[in-house]
C-alpha cells in the first residue's frame, strides 16, 4: 500500500513531534453539543484527536448468555457506562484506510466476550484518504501514520481512566492501515498486539516491528493479498515473520486459502486471533 522509497525515520520523528504540538493546539470547529453529550466531556470545544475518541465505536459484550452485542459511540457509553462485576479484556481496534465501515469484526470479538474500542480516525476535521480502493494503491499521505499512532496513544491513555475497562488487560488489533500503527507502536503497556493484512515491509517509515521483544505478537496476512503484490507496492511482499527474530512470543501466520486482503473475515484468521487472545489475556 505504500510506495515511498525515499522517506527516512529521522523525518518521521520530526513530523511526529510537529504533529503532536499541532494537535494539542488545534481544535475542531464542531462544538461538543454537536458531536457528543456535554456531560461526557464537560463542555467546550473538541479537538480533532478528542473527536476520534468520543466518536469511537464501542462494542460491548453480552452481560448474560443470549443477550446481544451492543454497538454505541464512546460518548454515549461514557454517559451511561456498563455495569459488570469485572471489566472484560479490552481490545483497541484500528480500522483500515477507508474508515470503520464493516463492523463485523467488532461484533465477532464482542460476541466472544471482549470489550472492543475502535477510535474513529475519520472523525477528524481534516483526515484525507491515503489509499484508493478502486485501484488498490495507497501511500498518498505520509503523515496519516502519525495520525494513527497519536490516536492509539490517546486511546490507551483514556482507557486507563475508565472504570469499566481494564488497562492492564489491553490488546491492540489493527487491520491494513491500522495494522501499520499496531506494528510501529513503541509502548510497553500492552498484553499483546495483532497485525492483520500488513506485511511489515516497505519504506523505512513503515517497515518493521516496534513491539518490546517479549511482547506477544500475532501477524496475519494472505499470500495472495493484492495490495502488496510486486508491481503494485514496491518492496512490500512477504510477512512480518522476517522481523520476529529474538521475539519468542511472536508468530506470523500466512494464509494460503485465497482470503486476499480480508483476513479479518477469514475463519482461520479469526480463530487464530481468538486463540492468541485466550493464551495471553489476564487470567
Amino acid at each position: 500500500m505504500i510506495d515511498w522509497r525515499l522517506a527516512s525515520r529521522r523525518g518521521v520523528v520530526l513530523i511526529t513531534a510537529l504533529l503532536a504540538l499541532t494537535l494539542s493546539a488545534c481544535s475542531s470547529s464542531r462544538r461538543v453539543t454537536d458531536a457528543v453529550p456535554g456531560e461526557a466531556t464537560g463542555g467546550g470545544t473538541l479537538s480533532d484527536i478528542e473527536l476520534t475518541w468520543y466518536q469511537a465505536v464501542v462494542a460491548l459484550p453480552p452481560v448474560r448468555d443470549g443477550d446481544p452485542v451492543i454497538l454505541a459511540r464512546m460518548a454515549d457509553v461514557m454517559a451511561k457506562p456498563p455495569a459488570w462485576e469485572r471489566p472484560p479484556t479490552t481490545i483497541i481496534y484500528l480500522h483500515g484506510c477507508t474508515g470503520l465501515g464493516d463492523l463485523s469484526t467488532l461484533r465477532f470479538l464482542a460476541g466472544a466476550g471482549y470489550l472492543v474500542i475502535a477510535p474513529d480516525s475519520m472523525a477528524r476535521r481534516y483526515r484525507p484518504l491515503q489509499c484508493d480502493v478502486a485501484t488498490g494503491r495507497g501511500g498518498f499521505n505520509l503523515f496519516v501514520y502519525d495520525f494513527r499512532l497519536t490516536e492509539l496513544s490517546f486511546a490507551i491513555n483514556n482507557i486507563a481512566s475508565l472504570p469499566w475497562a481494564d488497562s492492564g488487560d489491553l490488546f491492540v488489533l489493527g487491520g491494513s492501515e491500522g495494522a501499520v500503527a499496531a506494528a510501529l507502536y513503541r509502548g510497553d503497556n500492552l498484553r499483546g498486539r495483532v497485525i492483520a493484512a500488513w506485511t511489515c515491509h516497505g519504506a523505512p517509515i513503515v517497515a518493521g516491528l516496534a513491539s518490546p521483544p517479549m511482547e506477544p505478537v500475532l501477524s496475519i496476512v494472505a499470500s495472495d493479498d493484492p495490495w502488496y503484490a510486486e508491481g503494485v507496492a514496491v518492496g512490500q511482499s512477504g510477512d512480518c515473520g522476517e522481523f520476529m527474530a529474538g521475539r519468542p512470543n511472536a508468530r506470523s501466520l500466512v494464509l494460503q486459502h485465497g482470503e486476499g486482503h480480508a483476513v479479518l473475515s477469514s475463519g482461520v484468521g479469526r480463530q487464530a486471533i481468538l486463540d492468541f487472545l485466550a493464551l495471553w489475556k489476564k487470567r
Side-chain angles (χ1 to χ4, degrees):
M1 294 175 66
I2 323 298
D3 195 17
W4 306 310
R5 283 166 273 185
L6 301 179
S8 69
R9 286 197 181 277
R10 182 175 300 175
V12 175
V13 173
L14 176 60
I15 292 170
T16 303
L18 292 173
L19 278 171
L21 292 173
T22 303
L23 288 169
S24 65
C26 293
S27 62
S28 168
S29 59
R30 280 181 279 187
R31 299 292 297 177
V32 171
T33 52
D34 296 328
V36 295
E39 62 269 23
T41 62
T45 303
L46 288 175
S47 66
D48 272 10
I49 188 63
E50 289 172 315
L51 285 172
T52 69
W53 171 253
Y54 286 107
Q55 295 192 20
V57 174
V58 182
L60 300 169
V63 176
R64 294 174 297 274
D65 290 342
D67 286 352
V69 168
I70 296 175
L71 296 180
R73 293 290 182 180
M74 175 61 75
D76 296 322
V77 178
M78 292 180 69
K80 189 177 180 180
W84 36 50
E85 294 181 4
R86 176 184 174 186
T89 298
T90 303
I91 301 169
I92 299 176
Y93 175 78
L94 303 177
H95 63 68
C97 65
T98 57
L100 281 164
D102 181 11
L103 300 177
S104 64
T105 299
L106 277 68
R107 291 184 183 276
F108 171 75
L109 292 170
Y114 296 97
L115 167 64
V116 188
I117 298 174
D120 186 358
S121 185
M122 300 304 176
R124 289 174 176 268
R125 178 178 52 172
Y126 177 65
R127 191 357 179 130
L129 292 178
Q130 70 87 12
C131 71
D132 183 350
V133 175
T135 62
R137 301 291 181 105
F140 304 147
N141 291 284
L142 179 78
F143 51 83
V144 164
Y145 293 97
D146 296 290
F147 277 21
R148 303 308 302 274
L149 286 167
T150 302
E151 292 158 13
L152 174 56
S153 297
F154 191 74
I156 291 173
N157 181 71
N158 285 339
I159 287 172
S161 65
L162 298 178
W164 45 271
D166 187 351
S167 61
D169 195 15
L170 181 63
F171 291 81
V172 167
L173 188 163
S176 194
E177 180 188 280
V180 180
L184 298 182
Y185 176 66
R186 293 185 175 277
D188 59 358
N189 45 5
L190 302 175
R191 293 194 69 86
R193 65 186 76 190
V194 179
I195 302 163
W198 171 234
T199 67
C200 294
H201 289 265
I205 190 174
V206 294
L209 182 59
S211 60
M214 298 305 294
E215 181 185 299
V217 176
L218 172 65
S219 70
I220 309 174
V221 70
S223 60
D224 61 346
D225 192 320
W227 285 87
Y228 310 123
E230 290 296 345
V232 175
V234 177
Q236 291 184 35
S237 61
D239 65 275
C240 294
E242 296 181 39
F243 297 91
M244 291 181 177
R247 301 176 184 274
N249 299 318
R251 176 197 178 199
S252 175
L253 174 61
V254 180
L255 302 182
Q256 306 289 341
H257 304 292
E259 280 85 357
H261 202 56
V263 295
L264 285 175
S265 299
S266 159
V268 175
R270 286 186 169 185
Q271 186 59 54
I273 292 171
L274 291 183
D275 292 344
F276 175 80
L277 295 171
L279 179 63
W280 296 109
K281 69 181 181 179
K282 186 188 292 185
R283 296 293 185 260

